[in-house]
Amino acid sequence: MDESTTRIPADAALERPAPAAAWPPRVPRSAHDARIGVRVVDALDAAARLLEWDLWEGDDGEHEDTVALVEVARSVVAERIRAGADLERAHLVALCDLLVTLEDLRRELRDNEVDERLRALTGVQAGLGRLRGIASVSTILDLAPQEVCRSCGFDRAILFRVQNSQLIAEAVHWENDPDGAATLLQVARENPADLTHMLLETEMIRRRIPMLVADAKGDPRVHRTIADAADTHSYVAAPIMPEGRVIGFLHADRYLQQRDVDEFDREMLWAFAEGFGYAFERTVLTERMRAQRDQVRSMVQSTEQLMNELCDTEIAVSHVEGEDSAGVGRAAAMLASGPSRLDQLLTRREVEVIKLMAAGETNAGIASRLVISEGTVKSHAKHILRKLRAANRAEAVSRYLRISALGDQQ
């Protein structure tokens, strides 16, 4: 509130205030708040009568800061008492009683204001606590506007992200109107705002502060397309900057309540935006760590599978080395003369096949090297296993290499 709506000069006429119910409240009023409002109006009416004022000075009788009005009235009454040496006793007593009443009201309003802020901050903390438990970036972005309304008492909220010097709408919440929210989100996404020097958000990026737009219809700094689509009269906006760099914005208003936002709304949104920035950063880090964990887990599984395959091969070779020595001895004795006896046991083509098998070639590779079909390779491999008394290819290769080694030693 500017100074003109709170200053009450002693020699000026005062404009009579509107009923308390018409005063724009900062947050939804409780029954206790309404009772205080009635008492404030009664006290200000009494001040007007005792000080012989005809009108209350103000803006069409609407005052947002009740505490300031009571404070000004209390100051004026106190000054009149100090300067009222010629006042009648009854009038002076009435002024003194009024001063006590105004002082009590001022103290009660201050206490009530502190309680309001504590309740609001408690709600903000509760909302942020619910968001901190979310592990998905897309989910926390979708739910942020809803939590803004739930914890701060707004009717609508929009979450924007800053990307390539543009303001991109990410999520919208509109109390009890999901269709309206979807329409507004579509309009905002189809009309991203360029962060030029004329835009309100550009100033917030530069100054790192939240702002209150009191006249969204006439303020040239707002994004006109989005403001017209939302049909908002006033709103508050706060930057999201977890590490000092602005990464997005939250906008909110009280559209359904049909009242303008005030400084208290701006402070609450600012508190939420600050906490949300850290919650969002935590979620981003958690999601990245989860992705890295899954990647490491996949690598470990692949390594484990490879190790299992190597171990299985080693076990097969060990089985060959530990089998009946008499059988191996007979095979070795039968092929004691080395490669010449191997040539007698296996055909020339089978020798070529077993050599390529020992070199690690697959059936397809052997077929390509020898210019034969894979079926022929399989047939040769079957004969080789039978002739070398091997159970599988690995065992046949092992026996071939041992027999070849014996031939080299001779």
Side-chain angles (χ1 to χ4, degrees):
M1 180 180 296
D2 59 31
E3 187 179 354
S4 64
T5 61
T6 59
R7 187 180 67 255
I8 306 180
D11 58 350
L14 298 177
E15 184 180 356
R16 187 174 302 278
W23 297 356
R26 285 187 299 272
V27 293
R29 287 182 171 232
S30 65
H32 179 64
D33 297 326
R35 288 194 296 272
I36 294 177
V38 172
R39 290 165 55 202
V40 168
V41 171
D42 291 342
L44 294 178
D45 283 342
R49 289 192 304 270
L50 292 171
L51 299 175
E52 298 178 354
W53 291 331
D54 295 330
L55 296 173
W56 286 101
E57 179 182 319
D59 181 15
D60 297 330
E62 290 192 355
H63 301 282
E64 295 183 4
D65 198 337
T66 307
V67 176
L69 283 176
V70 172
E71 177 64 36
V72 172
R74 187 194 67 83
S75 299
V76 174
V77 170
E79 181 63 28
R80 180 63 61 87
I81 292 173
R82 284 192 293 268
D86 57 342
L87 293 176
E88 296 180 0
R89 178 179 177 81
H91 191 72
L92 183 61
V93 170
L95 285 174
C96 290
D97 289 342
L98 177 59
L99 181 61
V100 172
T101 299
L102 289 171
E103 178 63 28
D104 290 342
L105 281 173
R106 184 180 71 90
R107 199 161 42 239
E108 189 172 353
L109 286 169
R110 291 292 185 188
D111 292 343
N112 191 58
E113 187 177 67
V114 171
D115 290 341
E116 277 184 7
R117 292 177 180 274
L118 289 176
R119 287 195 299 268
L121 288 174
T122 299
V124 168
Q125 290 300 319
L128 292 173
R130 289 187 289 269
L131 291 179
R132 290 190 193 99
I134 297 175
S136 167
V137 171
S138 60
T139 302
I140 196 173
L141 291 176
D142 288 340
L143 292 180
Q146 178 180 336
E147 283 297 341
V148 168
C149 295
R150 180 179 179 182
S151 61
C152 300
F154 295 110
D155 299 323
R156 302 185 300 183
I158 306 177
L159 173 65
F160 295 94
R161 57 185 168 89
V162 176
Q163 179 179 343
N164 299 327
S165 297
Q166 283 189 321
L167 207 59
I168 311 295
E170 189 67 35
V172 175
H173 179 72
W174 191 328
E175 284 291 318
N176 303 319
D177 190 357
D179 294 336
T183 301
L184 183 56
L185 178 60
Q186 181 179 356
V187 171
R189 283 182 172 174
E190 292 175 353
N191 299 274
D194 294 323
L195 291 170
T196 64
H197 69 283
M198 292 295 294
L199 199 66
L200 175 74
E201 285 74 16
T202 304
E203 184 176 355
M204 285 194 285
I205 291 176
R206 179 175 60 84
R207 299 176 61 187
R208 303 292 199 273
I209 60 171
M211 287 192 173
L212 187 156
V213 180
D215 180 19
K217 299 290 185 181
D219 196 325
R221 300 174 300 170
V222 306
H223 188 297
R224 181 53 46 205
T225 303
I226 298 177
D228 290 344
D231 191 31
T232 186
H233 294 277
S234 70
Y235 66 90
V236 286
I240 302 169
M241 37 185 285
E243 295 182 350
R245 180 177 62 89
V246 177
I247 61 174
F249 291 92
L250 282 168
H251 289 198
D253 66 9
R254 295 185 180 275
Y255 178 80
L256 298 179
Q257 300 171 45
Q258 297 184 351
R259 78 164 181 82
D260 293 334
V261 293
D262 56 24
E263 289 81 0
F264 186 76
D265 293 320
R266 182 185 61 194
E267 292 175 11
M268 289 304 100
L269 185 64
W270 180 224
F272 187 96
E274 284 187 312
F276 174 74
Y278 293 112
F280 176 74
E281 193 74 6
R282 176 184 178 277
T283 302
V284 170
L285 292 175
T286 300
E287 192 168 89
R288 288 176 181 173
M289 291 178 63
R290 185 182 301 108
Q292 292 176 355
R293 180 200 64 189
D294 294 341
Q295 184 178 5
V296 171
R297 180 178 294 171
S298 177
M299 293 174 60
V300 169
Q301 290 176 346
S302 299
T303 303
E304 183 180 2
Q305 182 178 359
L306 178 60
M307 292 299 296
N308 289 337
E309 291 176 358
L310 291 174
C311 289
D312 291 343
T313 302
E314 186 175 331
I315 291 173
V317 172
S318 299
H319 173 71
V320 172
E321 292 177 348
E323 70 178 358
D324 180 35
S325 58
V328 176
R330 287 193 297 270
M334 185 172 54
L335 303 173
S337 58
S340 60
R341 294 297 303 271
L342 186 64
D343 293 339
Q344 294 178 5
L345 182 64
L346 303 178
T347 65
R348 179 181 58 81
R349 182 63 81 183
E350 290 171 350
V351 171
E352 292 175 347
V353 170
I354 190 64
K355 286 181 178 180
L356 291 175
M357 289 169 58
E361 288 284 0
T362 63
N363 287 345
I366 295 173
S368 176
R369 294 280 296 275
L370 299 181
V371 194
I372 57 178
S373 68
E374 288 190 44
T376 302
V377 173
K378 292 179 181 179
S379 177
H380 287 316
K382 181 178 179 181
H383 294 157
I384 291 170
L385 263 62
R386 178 176 55 80
K387 292 178 180 180
L388 295 182
R389 299 180 182 179
N392 50 49
R393 291 168 65 99
E395 188 176 341
V397 168
S398 177
R399 291 193 175 187
Y400 163 73
L401 291 176
R402 291 179 64 192
I403 295 171
S404 298
L406 289 174
D408 293 339
Q409 293 173 2
Q410 293 178 355

